[in-house]
Amino acid sequence: MFLVGLTGGIASGKSSVIQVFQQLGCAVIDVDVMARHVVQPGYPAHRRIVEAFGTEVLLENGDINRKVLGDLIFNQPDRRQLLNAITHPEIRKEMMKETFKYFLRGYRYVILDIPLLFETKKLLKYMKHTVVVYCDRDTQLARLMRRNSLNRKDAEARINAQLPLTDKARMARHVLDNSGEWSVTKRQVILLHGELERSLEYLPLRLGVLTGLAAIASLLYLLTHYLLPYA
């Protein structure tokens, strides 16, 4: 099994692309879902966030108020970096757990939906393939204004707060261009899925695990039949 890191930008259409992969039967791990999971009350990240940002980021029931926290770090790189330093290690732990589950179920590859794949670069070394859902800036701006009912200035501010999609596209191994008709984008997703399914890059790890299991079985056999005293 190998890992495929998928990312995009605000209003680029990443969520729609993920839905197509899921409809095709692909294993998908949503890092945003995990990010919400690891900051629940009782988890280490929750305690550290309260220590760093104060109780003002809490709802009445003790959950993290994501809007308040988001407003605190918006346009403040230092505070955003602090939050990432708290949450990212915990997110990576959960990702490894979920990835191993899919490995045991025999999937050839797992898609990791990682919004900050190229910004943090911490997970890039684990990715055999990287995919960016791209669209041109004018299309991105129009979609964001329509979707979130934003004026042009506010929409541009949100886009400018992210790494440009053109930069991400240059760094990615695969680019899914979602600037035009959705049917064209969907066709790109289906073709990429077929390419990844035909890849033999999953074999080395799986063969390595099987070899390791065979070695353990052989060791147990020797211990049972030759080294342990007879009853």
Side-chain angles (χ1 to χ4, degrees):
M1 187 186 71
F2 57 90
L3 302 180
V4 178
L6 187 146
T7 191
I10 189 169
S12 70
K14 178 170 64 71
S15 297
S16 297
V17 166
I18 286 290
Q19 288 179 0
V20 177
F21 274 115
Q22 291 174 323
Q23 290 167 3
L24 293 170
C26 299
V28 177
I29 296 175
D30 188 334
V31 175
D32 276 345
V33 171
M34 289 190 170
R36 290 192 291 270
H37 176 74
V38 300
V39 299
Q40 293 181 80
Y43 285 80
H46 181 278
R47 174 180 53 79
R48 293 185 60 196
I49 288 173
V50 175
E51 291 174 352
F53 296 94
T55 55
E56 62 187 279
V57 300
L58 294 179
L59 295 167
E60 291 184 2
N61 63 359
D63 289 344
I64 298 293
N65 188 324
R66 293 173 63 85
K67 183 182 185 305
V68 170
L69 185 59
D71 290 341
L72 284 175
I73 66 172
F74 188 67
N75 285 332
Q76 297 192 56
D78 291 344
R79 304 197 83 177
R80 184 182 298 113
Q81 186 175 3
L82 174 59
L83 179 63
N84 291 341
I86 293 172
T87 59
H88 285 183
E90 300 302 319
I91 292 170
R92 283 198 295 273
K93 291 178 186 176
E94 291 298 316
M95 285 172 53
M96 292 303 104
K97 292 179 185 177
E98 290 300 310
T99 299
F100 187 64
K101 291 178 183 178
Y102 285 121
F103 172 81
L104 293 177
R105 293 168 62 184
Y107 281 85
R108 292 194 173 190
Y109 72 92
V110 173
I111 296 173
L112 299 179
D113 177 2
I114 309 173
L116 299 177
L117 177 63
F118 292 113
E119 287 85 344
T120 64
K121 295 183 171 62
K122 293 184 181 297
L123 296 173
L124 274 175
K125 61 184 177 182
Y126 303 113
M127 303 299 131
K128 181 67 71 173
H129 293 258
T130 53
V131 183
V132 164
V133 181
Y134 169 86
C135 68
D136 62 74
R137 185 179 174 87
D138 288 342
T139 300
Q140 184 182 24
L141 182 61
R143 287 174 179 168
L144 181 58
M145 292 172 63
R146 182 172 61 252
R147 187 189 73 182
N148 290 31
S149 300
L150 298 174
N151 59 44
R152 186 181 186 90
K153 182 180 178 180
D154 289 342
E156 287 181 335
R158 290 179 181 271
I159 292 174
N160 291 336
Q162 299 183 339
L163 185 67
L165 280 172
T166 51
D167 292 352
K168 294 183 181 183
R170 282 195 293 267
M171 291 184 281
R173 182 168 176 179
H174 308 277
V175 177
L176 299 173
D177 191 345
N178 190 34
S179 302
E181 295 293 329
W182 172 242
S183 59
V184 176
T185 303
K186 186 174 182 180
R187 179 63 178 166
Q188 293 176 60
V189 177
I190 294 171
L191 290 174
L192 178 57
H193 169 61
E195 178 183 339
L196 296 174
E197 276 289 298
R198 290 190 299 271
S199 172
L200 298 179
E201 291 171 306
Y202 74 97
L203 283 176
L205 177 60
R206 195 163 293 279
L207 290 175
V209 171
L210 291 175
T211 301
L213 291 175
I216 293 173
S218 297
L219 179 60
L220 290 175
Y221 177 84
L222 290 173
L223 288 173
T224 303
H225 288 78
Y226 296 103
L227 300 181
L228 294 180
Y230 289 102

